[in-house]
Amino acid sequence: KKVADRYLKREVLGEGTYGVVYKAIDTKTGQTVAIKKIRLGKQKEGINFTALREIKLLKELKDPNIIELIDAFPHKGNLHLVFEFMETDLEAVIRDRNIFLSPADIKSYIQMTLKGLAFCHKKWVLHRDMKPNNLLIGPNGQLKLADFGLARIFGSPDRKFTHQVFARWYRAPELLFGTKQYGSGVDVWAAACIFAELLLRRPFLQGTSDIDQLGKIFAAFGTPTSSQWPDMVYLPDYVEYQYVPAPPLRSLFPMASDDALDLLSKMFTYDPKVRISVQQALEHRYFSSAPPPTDPPKLPRPN
Ligand code: ADP
């Protein structure tokens, strides 16, 4: 069945945060695409104009490390977003026990992640929902960020769907303390969690609730002091936690190089005003020191 006279629907790829994702063929180009059908449920008739304007902006975001939004249209009361189709994602790579990730492979994956983020931050677009299954991998090993800007347009998906609990593990401490004025630092924190996950081959901070998530963060990096993070005490959901000292970061990542560890600690800085920016992270010596990042086509991928 053709959608919008252009897309031939194939199988369901999965249920996402905002609705069902289909595989489809673009009859105009012959290209395989992924169509995300977004339920517009309570938003009355159709889509509000702000959302449409923002989606138009997303269509302009074109970068080798960003999933291209090919088309967007309303159909039967749902909004359809058409993206380039991608074979696999970083979560599948991390979970695949048959895959060995060398330090050069990890460097390549995290560099592509940061490059995609840098491009969007330069255009003042935040991701806000970074996690390994949002980092899609194309046939030539190219990593591309998916779902850019959607959290802002359609609202934070948290708590609405049970499978979303995983996103909590990548949430920055300022978000967990209920900040309303978050910035690009939330994506840096999430990228740091993904970096850590590539090194450990399991999610780094697996909180079971928002409170537990903060507990896991504090156990890893020590309870933040108000000299480390002066604005913390003014955050809406701030509560005082029992003081826990930080273990040496090295003890948490025994396999990481000194350069990797230094970059990681700068990305995991508590105060979002002090936290390294994505651009600064890309200029960190970790990326210029040996080994050089693996060429994307040579990266290991699931069979
Ligand atoms: P979530 O909101 O949980 O991140 P998504 O809505 O992004 O999930 O995706 C739901 C499912 O659709 C996932 O299993 C994902 O693998 C698949 N999917 C999403 N985008 C694409 C794409 N561009 N190409 C191929 N598969 C995709």
Side-chain angles (χ1 to χ4, degrees), residues 130-192:
M130 295 268 294
K131 49 191 172 177
N133 75 341
N134 269 338
L135 305 179
L136 304 182
I137 297 170
N140 55 0
Q142 211 48 246
L143 178 147
K144 294 174 188 244
L145 278 57
D147 283 355
F148 237 102
L150 295 190
R152 175 155 153 226
I153 302 174
F154 302 106
S156 172
D158 356 5
R159 295 181 267 272
K160 270 190 214 137
F161 301 95
T162 45
H163 73 272
Q164 259 308 117
V165 293
F166 302 111
R168 180 189 302 123
W169 301 340
Y170 306 92
R171 198 144 290 170
E174 63 269 29
L175 291 173
L176 294 162
F177 276 138
T179 189
K180 281 162 189 90
Q181 288 152 299
Y182 57 86
S184 52
V186 301
D187 289 338
V188 175
W189 184 277

Side-chain angles (χ1 to χ4, degrees), residues 42-256:
K42 305 202 165 47
Q43 273 167 302
K44 291 190 281 181
E45 281 297 294
I47 319 117
N48 68 61
F49 287 103
T50 318
L52 282 179
R53 196 164 53 228
E54 300 247 1
I55 283 162
K56 218 169 160 193
L57 287 174
L58 292 185
K59 279 171 88 174
E60 312 295 313
L61 283 183
K62 282 190 190 164
D63 181 80
N65 298 110
I66 303 292
I67 279 278
E68 189 186 344
L69 175 57
I70 298 167
D71 195 7
F73 56 88
H75 181 73
K76 291 187 183 161
N78 292 309
L79 181 61
H80 290 64
L81 300 181
V82 182
F83 296 96
E84 53 183 318
F85 178 81
M86 302 288 274
E87 295 293 335
T88 186
D89 60 58
L90 195 63
E91 187 182 29
V93 171
I94 292 170
R95 303 275 174 278
D96 191 330
R97 290 295 134 199
N98 297 315
I99 290 179
F100 171 76
L101 290 175
S102 72
D105 298 339
I106 292 172
K107 193 175 288 187
S108 180
Y109 277 129
I110 202 69
Q111 188 181 45
M112 291 190 282
T113 304
L114 292 173
K115 279 181 175 173
L117 271 182
F119 175 81
C120 290
H121 287 178
K122 218 166 57 196
K123 311 251 169 187
W124 300 102
V125 180
L126 304 186
H127 192 291
R128 239 230 73 161
D129 194 25
M130 295 268 294
K131 49 191 172 177
N133 75 341
N134 269 338
L135 305 179
L136 304 182
I137 297 170
N140 55 0
Q142 211 48 246
L143 178 147
K144 294 174 188 244
L145 278 57
D147 283 355
F148 237 102
L150 295 190
R152 175 155 153 226
I153 302 174
F154 302 106
S156 172
D158 356 5
R159 295 181 267 272
K160 270 190 214 137
F161 301 95
T162 45
H163 73 272
Q164 259 308 117
V165 293
F166 302 111
R168 180 189 302 123
W169 301 340
Y170 306 92
R171 198 144 290 170
E174 63 269 29
L175 291 173
L176 294 162
F177 276 138
T179 189
K180 281 162 189 90
Q181 288 152 299
Y182 57 86
S184 52
V186 301
D187 289 338
V188 175
W189 184 277
C193 294
I194 293 165
F195 191 4
E197 190 164 336
L198 282 163
L199 293 163
L200 299 171
R201 299 297 293 270
R202 59 170 167 76
F204 175 41
L205 303 163
Q206 305 184 43
T208 54
S209 65
D210 287 1
I211 297 285
D212 185 52
Q213 188 64 35
L214 278 167
K216 294 270 166 28
I217 292 172
F218 299 163
F221 307 114
T223 317
T225 62
S226 55
S227 62
Q228 255 178 314
W229 184 5
D231 298 335
M232 168 177 68
V233 296
Y234 305 111
L235 293 175
D237 302 335
Y238 171 74
V239 279
E240 208 175 308
Y241 276 73
Q242 189 197 4
Y243 180 74
V244 193
L249 195 57
R250 163 63 63 210
S251 67
L252 304 176
F253 300 97
M255 311 293 275

